[in-house]
Amino acid sequence: MKQLPIIILLTLATCRLTSSETVGPTPTPLGPVSSLPMNTKSVHLTGDNKIENVELLNPVNLSMECIWTGNQNNQPNITGYWRKGGVEIQDSRVPVDPENQQYTLRRVFNIASEEHLGNYTCVFENEAELDFILAVPQIGEKREKPIVSYVGDFVILTCKMEDSKPAPRTWYWFKNNGTNKEQLFEAQRYDITVDGRNTKLKVKDVSEADSGVYHCAAVYNISTSTNKMHLKVITIWEPLKPFLSILVEVVILVTAILIYERSHSKKKEAEANGPNADPKPQGEDDEAEESSSVRQRKT
């Protein structure tokens, strides 16, 4: 009887330990443990050789379905398969039977990170191909011409996502540094403004070293959409170079004309005083010499 309390305490401790254990197996996550919760989304594409652009913001289990109406020689069944980036996906070949005179190929893809985005193609017996292009929303405003600023001035670079697109989680700015991109932060010469679908980078007191390619990046949970622009910083004399070049050409032309006119005038004068000119009488020369000699003696 003295051991009864000890047995009761051991029994209670065993029950407590048993109740604290997890019952059943631990569920396997759909994606990496660090990823955001995965949702399910479906996209459908019907026809021949068509393209569907699919915008994604977050990791997702994506069900893609292709429907092909076939051709004149509809076979009882054909083989369908999938490609990604032009490469056939392993173990994706399946037989496809017609239903209501249509062939349907369906597959669920785990789109968990940026590397899973890209071009997915469903192929029906090499007869038809339908493409799904998976990407984050793209920045619509593309600038081809460079932005010009002057040394010592300031410049504002802007990026904007269209109003119909979802706003990104945040924005980043980069500048090409050789073969790498250097991220820009708020500093003495940089002001970065982020406002939903818009972002601005203000570069103060610019110099020629600030010339180069800048990138804005709209950051979504699954990937980043980027846009680039070229900044060209010049001195105040740069716009005057064409005018100065023309001015130099005009000066050279005018100088050449004056030299030609002077040379041509001397040539005419020489021709006028040539062999055909009237010679002076000999007496006039003697009188001139005598008058010069008298003036010298008087002096």
Side-chain angles (χ1 to χ4, degrees):
M1 293 297 291
K2 293 182 178 180
Q3 296 178 352
L4 183 59
I6 298 175
I7 294 173
I8 293 173
L9 290 173
L10 291 174
T11 303
L12 291 174
T14 304
C15 292
R16 180 172 294 182
L17 290 173
T18 303
S19 64
S20 66
E21 294 176 357
T22 303
V23 178
T26 303
T28 303
L30 295 174
V33 176
S34 60
S35 66
L36 296 174
M38 301 282 285
N39 298 318
T40 300
K41 182 177 180 178
S42 299
V43 289
H44 307 272
L45 191 56
T46 303
D48 298 333
N49 304 321
K50 291 187 176 180
I51 298 176
E52 177 77 8
N53 292 303
V54 182
E55 290 185 347
L56 298 176
L57 310 180
N58 303 301
V60 65
N61 285 319
L62 186 62
S63 174
M64 289 188 277
E65 182 180 82
C66 300
I67 300 176
W68 179 49
T69 55
N71 52 31
Q72 296 179 352
N73 302 320
N74 283 348
Q75 302 177 15
N77 61 72
I78 61 175
T79 300
Y81 62 94
W82 291 85
R83 294 198 301 250
K84 181 182 184 299
V87 179
E88 182 177 341
I89 297 175
Q90 188 176 4
D91 300 328
S92 67
R93 286 183 176 263
V94 294
V96 182
D97 298 323
E99 296 181 6
N100 299 325
Q101 298 181 346
Q102 293 180 338
Y103 298 93
T104 302
L105 185 60
R106 184 185 301 107
R107 187 181 178 96
V108 178
F109 293 89
N110 182 277
I111 311 300
S113 62
E114 184 176 12
E115 64 181 7
H116 297 143
L117 301 177
N119 189 356
Y120 289 79
T121 306
C122 58
V123 184
F124 293 95
E125 197 77 32
N126 297 324
E127 294 285 344
E129 297 182 2
L130 293 88
D131 293 309
F132 297 90
I133 300 177
L134 312 185
V136 293
Q138 299 299 300
I139 301 173
E141 185 179 352
K142 305 291 183 181
R143 188 181 182 95
E144 300 296 335
K145 295 182 178 180
I147 300 169
V148 179
S149 183
Y150 296 98
V151 172
D153 204 349
F154 72 89
V155 64
I156 297 178
L157 309 180
T158 61
C159 270
K160 180 181 179 181
M161 188 69 67
E162 296 178 0
D163 293 337
S164 60
K165 305 288 186 181
R169 184 163 53 86
T170 188
W171 291 85
Y172 293 137
W173 283 92
F174 300 88
K175 182 180 184 295
N176 277 9
N177 185 8
T179 57
N180 301 320
K181 293 180 183 178
E182 177 185 356
Q183 185 173 353
L184 305 178
F185 299 94
E186 288 273 359
Q188 185 177 359
R189 295 180 56 248
Y190 296 123
D191 286 338
I192 298 176
T193 304
V194 175
D195 182 16
R197 294 181 177 86
N198 306 298
T199 182
K200 295 180 180 180
L201 171 67
K202 182 178 181 180
V203 186
K204 295 174 285 186
D205 191 21
V206 295
S207 64
E208 291 181 299
D210 292 313
S211 297
V213 179
Y214 290 77
H215 302 261
C216 62
V219 181
Y220 293 92
N221 288 330
I222 192 170
S223 184
T224 301
S225 178
T226 61
N227 188 20
K228 68 178 181 179
M229 57 204 74
H230 187 272
L231 173 63
K232 184 178 181 181
V233 181
I234 60 177
T235 63
I236 194 66
W237 298 104
E238 190 75 18
L240 298 178
K241 284 184 178 180
F243 172 76
L244 294 177
S245 177
I246 295 174
L247 181 62
V248 170
E249 292 179 0
V250 170
V251 170
I252 293 175
L253 180 61
V254 170
T255 303
I257 292 174
L258 292 176
I259 293 174
Y260 172 78
E261 289 293 337
R262 185 174 181 181
S263 174
H264 189 65
S265 177
K266 287 184 176 181
K267 184 177 180 182
K268 283 186 175 181
E269 184 178 351
E271 290 177 353
N273 297 328
N276 297 329
D278 295 335
K280 292 182 179 181
Q282 184 67 30
E284 294 181 359
D285 293 340
D286 294 339
E287 291 177 0
E289 290 179 359
E290 290 178 0
S291 175
S292 175
S293 176
V294 169
R295 286 196 299 271
Q296 288 177 3
R297 285 196 299 269
K298 289 181 177 179
T299 300

